[in-house]
């Protein structure tokens, strides 16, 4: 019963891991407000437009207060631009929850971080296959299976409490360490039981 509960929780934690690095639609956070200026007008005045729509990683480098006081609400494409200085605004319309990528700002110049974290996950899977394979040979597949599920469960839960890239990456490593072994050990045990049940001397 304990194993079944742990396996169920591990599977859910591993499935949620795949959504943790989802990058949600975003734009530069606009650092000014003006009475009577709606959000769409503020976007058109602050964010350059390219072939894909509003630029996601740049904004105009101008004095918006002075421009608005002069009554201008139309951007000049010749204005200088700069990287997002005050973070990003994320659109949760399509995906109604925050991911670690949106919470920690893994976009624009940091957009490689989710990919690096996924790479560390697969590196962990390589080491996990070697270590848990050795444990299975030395101590049996059931201890290896229980250990893999417990590690995957604990690392998956810990992921929800990470607050930096390196913390998240460490949890991803241990989740990857356990991932394949949570299922392959179970399949091997199931196949052995099935084969034994069909042997003629049984």
């Amino acid at each position: 019963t304990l194993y079944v509960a742990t396996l169920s929780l591990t599977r859910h934690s591993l499935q949620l891991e795949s959504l943790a690095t989802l990058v949600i639609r975003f734009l530069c956070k606009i650092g000014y407000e003006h009475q009577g200026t709606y959000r769409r007008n503020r976007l058109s005045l602050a964010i350059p437009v390219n072939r894909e729509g509003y630029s996601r990683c740049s904004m105009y480098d101008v004095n918006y207060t002075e421009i608005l006081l002069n009554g201008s609400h139309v951007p000049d494409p010749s204005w200088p631009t700069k990287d997002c200085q005050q973070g990003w605004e994320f659109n949760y319309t399509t995906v109604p929850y925050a991911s670690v990528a949106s919470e920690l700002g893994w976009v624009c110049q940091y957009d490689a971080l989710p990919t690096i974290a996924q790479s560390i996950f697969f590196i962990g899977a390589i080491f996990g296959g070697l270590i848990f394979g050795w444990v299975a040979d030395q101590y049996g597949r059931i201890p290896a299976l229980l250990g893999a599920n417990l590690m995957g469960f604990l690392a998956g839960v810990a992921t929800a409490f990470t607050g930096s890239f390196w913390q998240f990456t460490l949890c991803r490593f241990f989740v990857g360490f356990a991932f394949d072994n949570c299922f392959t050990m179970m399949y091997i045990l199931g196949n052995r039981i099935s084969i034994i049940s069909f042997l003629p001397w049984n």
Side-chain angles (χ1 to χ4, degrees):
T1 302
L2 177 61
Y3 167 70
V4 173
T6 305
L7 175 60
S8 178
L9 291 170
T10 300
R11 288 189 62 187
H12 285 301
S13 66
L14 293 176
Q15 289 169 350
L16 291 174
E17 289 280 330
S18 63
L19 302 176
T21 55
L22 183 66
V23 178
I24 302 168
R25 294 177 59 187
F26 64 93
L27 293 171
C28 288
K29 183 179 292 184
I30 303 171
Y32 76 88
E33 297 287 345
H34 192 270
Q35 185 177 3
T37 303
Y38 296 101
R39 184 177 186 275
R40 181 174 295 276
N41 293 334
R42 291 193 295 117
L43 283 176
S44 63
L45 188 62
I47 308 297
V49 176
N50 53 33
R51 290 178 297 178
E52 300 177 354
Y54 289 113
S55 173
R56 299 195 299 174
C57 298
S58 64
M59 60 189 300
Y60 288 119
D61 186 12
V62 294
N63 188 327
Y64 297 110
T65 302
E66 181 179 338
I67 292 172
L68 290 171
L69 290 176
N70 290 334
S72 175
H73 295 279
V74 179
D76 185 346
S78 64
W79 286 346
T81 61
K82 61 181 179 180
D83 294 336
C84 302
Q85 301 295 306
Q86 301 182 29
W88 298 268
E89 294 181 359
F90 293 89
N91 186 344
Y92 296 106
T93 303
T94 304
V95 182
Y97 59 85
S99 66
V100 67
S102 61
E103 288 182 346
L104 299 182
W106 294 351
V107 294
C108 296
Q109 64 267 40
Y110 305 109
D111 60 0
L113 296 184
T115 303
I116 295 174
Q118 287 297 94
S119 300
I120 297 297
F121 170 90
F122 289 107
I123 292 174
I126 294 172
F127 285 98
L130 296 173
I131 299 301
F132 277 116
W134 179 85
V135 171
D137 290 338
Q138 296 294 319
Y139 303 102
R141 290 182 175 86
I142 292 179
L145 181 60
L146 290 173
N149 276 274
L150 184 61
M151 177 178 291
F153 169 67
L154 293 176
V157 171
T159 302
F161 300 96
T162 57
S164 69
F165 170 72
W166 292 113
Q167 291 175 0
F168 181 80
T169 302
L170 182 63
C171 289
R172 289 297 289 168
F173 175 84
F174 285 111
V175 169
F177 200 95
F179 182 76
D180 289 336
N181 300 284
C182 290
F183 307 102
T184 54
M185 295 289 180
M186 181 174 60
Y187 295 149
I188 293 171
L189 286 171
N191 287 335
R192 291 192 62 183
I193 294 172
S194 299
I195 293 173
I196 291 173
S197 65
F198 285 104
L199 290 176
W201 54 81
N202 288 331

